[in-house]
Amino acid sequence: MRFKPSETLGHLFASKAKPATNAGDDKDSKPEASPASEVSTEEPPVVLNTQSLLELEQTQITLSEQSRTIMRLGHALQACGASAYRIKISMARLATALGADEHNVQVTFGEISSTVYLPPYSRTAVLEQRAFGTNAAKLDRLRNFVQNLKPGTTIAAANAAMDRIDSYPLEYGKLVNALASGIACACFCFLNRGGLVECLLAGLAAGLGQFLRKLMMTRKFNHFAVWLVAGFAGATFYIIFATLLELILHQCMSTGDLSALPIWLRGDSIGLRSGIVSAVLFLVPGFPLITSMLDLVRMDLSAGIPRFVYTLMLVVSAGVAVWLVSVVFDWAVDPPAQPPIHGVWLFVVRAICSFIASTGFAMLFNCTWRLSIYAGLICGVVNPLRFLAVDNGVTWQLAVGLEALAIGLLADVISRAANFRYSRVSLSVPAAVLMVPGVPLYAALTHLNDGDYSQAFISLTEVSVVILAIGIGLASARMLTDRNWLQDRVLKGNHPVLNPDTRSDYSMR
């Protein structure tokens, strides 16, 4: 929308004519008569309309406050780990509710550029984001705030609502967060064919590593340094615990007694070594990884590509840590070839571990406890079926894609049943993060650093295809349940109050 200065400010001025006079040297002299056709060309004086000027000044103040409030919402969503599309549509709907004439926004992984129009002015603000993380509970509260916006919302009311959202503390403290991480990684270890003792050791090491990571994150350390140190700590703790336990067992039991123990207690032929990678799986950046794939599917490349690079660098940081520890201690990183138990019990334990692990990872993403339970139930139902399909000959990539599709559809069903109190992303990401091939990924990086390029290339290719299958499955579920993902639509036109016909497509879920 364009405004010309003459069109905008012309009403501020009024004209008032003055008679023309000819000045002479003698003040008593009479002016000469002018021809009848001569017209005065003197400029008229300017009379300023003070009331209109005050109105324009108030418009500028309102525009400035609107811009700050809209940018505040976008900044909060970006800090919670929201996708670019969610940030754009949320800011557009808040701009509409506040009465802005037009709003344009560009979202990247670390910046937001927002332009708000309020005739005859416009204001552009650019904000850089330096705090990267995941806060699913706050993300859902902000989503509910946007979902209930009404046109005519005042700036004060919008800021008061966001102040109330900011006042909520984190759902879990450092100790609970570390405990959830340890239990989740212990169950993840079983899903990666680890035995009972390996699961316990991996859980203990992961809990300590997560506690250290949380301490460093609260002090705003560089993220890549945090992942490197936490990965080194988790892997080292696991080796220390496993070595001490093996020494104690050899001191207390004979070789024959040890060999008589079931494999899920004594480990495989090389001992309790396969759980080292599971001890650092709390470092898998599942939320930003899946969000980056959703950004790429929606063609938000300026946000999706940097976010994917960010997650890749985090994975490499943790992988380097695992490699250093494995080289120093000469420790194996590949998982066992077979699970420790078989038959019906394997399916049952996989279901239980999937539920617990997904619930634990949801707590790491700061989901509310109720939402964490729902995410765990989705994973507990679907994930064992994926293992069963792979065991019966279905390719790993196809099974993962189908599971991701099922997770997305179930997340939409639960979100609708809960009257959209929970977003689909908060339900689907914790359930889908267990499909991220963390063990093969870290093992591939270790093989790469060891110079075993053929094995590393095979593993990395397989991991890449699996991650791609996760993104395709979740994106397909979104397109099946949300027309705004299937078609490019005007963000402002989707406001459910301005356009009642779009209420069924209202996608803030």
Side-chain angles (χ1 to χ4, degrees):
M1 189 175 294
R2 298 286 187 268
F3 299 95
K4 295 181 179 179
S6 60
E7 297 173 346
T8 303
L9 302 177
H11 68 286
L12 297 179
F13 305 97
S15 299
K16 185 177 181 181
K18 295 178 68 175
T21 59
N22 295 325
D25 294 336
D26 188 354
K27 58 183 179 181
D28 293 331
S29 62
K30 295 181 180 180
E32 298 180 359
S34 300
S37 60
E38 187 175 337
V39 181
S40 173
T41 60
E42 184 177 336
E43 291 290 335
V46 176
V47 178
L48 190 63
N49 187 332
T50 306
Q51 180 64 31
S52 298
L53 183 61
L54 290 175
E55 290 176 358
L56 286 175
E57 184 177 359
Q58 183 59 44
T59 300
Q60 285 183 312
I61 295 172
T62 302
L63 175 63
S64 178
E65 293 176 347
Q66 284 179 347
S67 178
R68 281 196 294 267
T69 304
I70 295 167
M71 184 62 85
R72 179 185 179 184
L73 174 63
H75 181 265
L77 287 167
Q78 194 174 44
C80 293
S83 65
Y85 173 72
R86 185 175 294 273
I87 296 172
K88 289 178 181 179
I89 197 170
S90 299
M91 295 177 71
R93 284 172 174 169
L94 179 58
T96 300
L98 294 179
D101 186 70
E102 185 179 348
H103 176 255
N104 295 323
V105 62
Q106 177 66 35
V107 179
T108 67
F109 175 56
E111 291 182 348
I112 299 177
S113 176
S114 169
T115 302
V116 183
Y117 297 86
L118 192 63
Y121 301 113
S122 67
R123 188 174 191 271
T124 298
V126 179
L127 186 144
E128 183 182 15
Q129 178 65 259
R130 301 295 299 174
F132 304 108
T134 301
N135 190 336
K138 186 174 182 179
L139 181 62
D140 277 348
R141 292 185 183 110
L142 290 170
R143 179 191 57 80
N144 287 327
F145 160 67
V146 174
Q147 183 173 341
N148 294 310
L149 281 172
K150 299 289 189 296
T153 300
T154 63
I155 295 173
N159 281 304
M162 286 189 279
D163 287 339
R164 186 170 61 254
I165 293 172
D166 289 339
S167 68
Y168 282 92
L170 292 176
E171 298 294 316
Y172 315 100
K174 292 184 180 67
L175 290 177
V176 176
N177 196 273
L179 182 62
S181 173
I183 294 174
C185 288
C187 293
F188 216 152
C189 183
F190 176 82
L191 297 176
N192 291 317
R193 300 188 290 274
L196 175 62
V197 176
E198 292 163 313
C199 292
L200 295 176
L201 297 179
L204 182 59
L208 294 174
Q210 171 64 14
F211 188 79
L212 176 62
R213 180 177 74 156
K214 200 69 175 177
L215 288 177
M216 297 181 69
M217 292 290 287
T218 55
R219 288 164 174 78
K220 301 187 182 301
F221 278 83
N222 182 283
H223 281 201
F224 307 112
V226 171
W227 258 249
L228 185 65
V229 172
F232 187 87
T236 303
F237 282 136
Y238 180 85
I239 290 177
I240 292 173
F241 296 150
T243 302
L244 289 176
L245 181 59
E246 287 180 347
L247 289 175
I248 293 173
L249 289 176
H250 282 92
Q251 289 293 327
C252 298
M253 302 179 68
S254 64
T255 304
D257 292 336
L258 283 174
S259 60
L261 292 175
I263 191 173
W264 49 270
L265 279 178
R266 58 178 169 82
D268 58 13
S269 58
I270 60 174
L272 304 170
R273 299 203 169 195
S274 61
I276 183 173
V277 177
S278 298
V280 298
L281 289 181
F282 65 94
L283 295 174
V284 173
F287 208 100
L289 176 62
I290 293 175
T291 303
S292 69
M293 290 187 288
L294 296 177
D295 282 337
L296 293 174
V297 170
R298 280 202 58 86
M299 299 299 292
D300 290 319
L301 303 182
S302 58
I305 293 176
R307 198 192 303 270
F308 183 79
V309 173
Y310 166 76
T311 59
L312 182 61
M313 292 177 67
L314 294 181
V315 169
V316 170
S317 297
V320 168
V322 175
W323 169 73
L324 287 173
V325 174
S326 64
V327 167
V328 170
F329 292 96
D330 190 23
W331 204 267
V333 296
D334 290 313
Q338 297 295 328
I341 58 177
H342 301 278
V344 176
W345 281 111
L346 177 61
F347 183 87
V348 173
V349 178
R350 277 175 172 172
I352 296 173
C353 287
S354 297
F355 167 77
I356 296 175
S358 181
T359 302
F361 279 113
M363 294 173 68
L364 292 187
F365 300 147
N366 200 50
C367 296
T368 62
W369 67 269
R370 191 184 297 273
L371 191 149
S372 300
I373 294 295
Y374 287 141
L377 288 173
I378 293 174
C379 188
V381 170
V382 180
N383 202 46
L385 298 177
R386 188 248 305 180
F387 280 107
L388 185 63
V390 173
D391 292 341
N392 285 275
V394 178
T395 60
W396 186 19
Q397 297 84 356
L398 177 59
V400 164
L402 293 175
E403 181 181 0
L405 176 63
I407 287 174
L409 296 176
L410 286 175
D412 183 74
V413 170
I414 293 178
S415 179
R416 291 177 184 274
N419 197 24
F420 306 119
R421 288 197 304 271
Y422 312 116
S423 64
R424 291 172 299 187
V425 65
S426 299
L427 288 165
S428 59
V429 172
V433 74
L434 265 66
M435 294 186 293
V436 177
V439 170
L441 179 58
Y442 288 134
L445 293 175
T446 303
H447 290 309
L448 187 65
N449 290 321
D450 288 339
D452 189 359
Y453 298 115
S454 60
Q455 184 61 39
F457 179 77
I458 293 172
S459 298
L460 287 175
T461 302
E462 191 174 44
V463 165
S464 301
V465 175
V466 169
I467 292 176
L468 182 62
I470 296 173
I472 292 174
L474 291 176
S476 299
R478 284 290 185 94
M479 288 186 283
L480 289 173
T481 57
D482 186 354
R483 286 182 58 193
N484 294 299
W485 275 74
L486 190 61
Q487 297 173 293
D488 285 330
R489 310 177 75 184
V490 179
L491 299 182
K492 180 179 176 181
N494 289 336
H495 200 294
V497 177
L498 293 180
N499 294 316
D501 293 339
T502 66
R503 180 172 294 277
S504 61
D505 299 325
Y506 191 35
S507 62
M508 295 306 300
R509 301 197 293 271

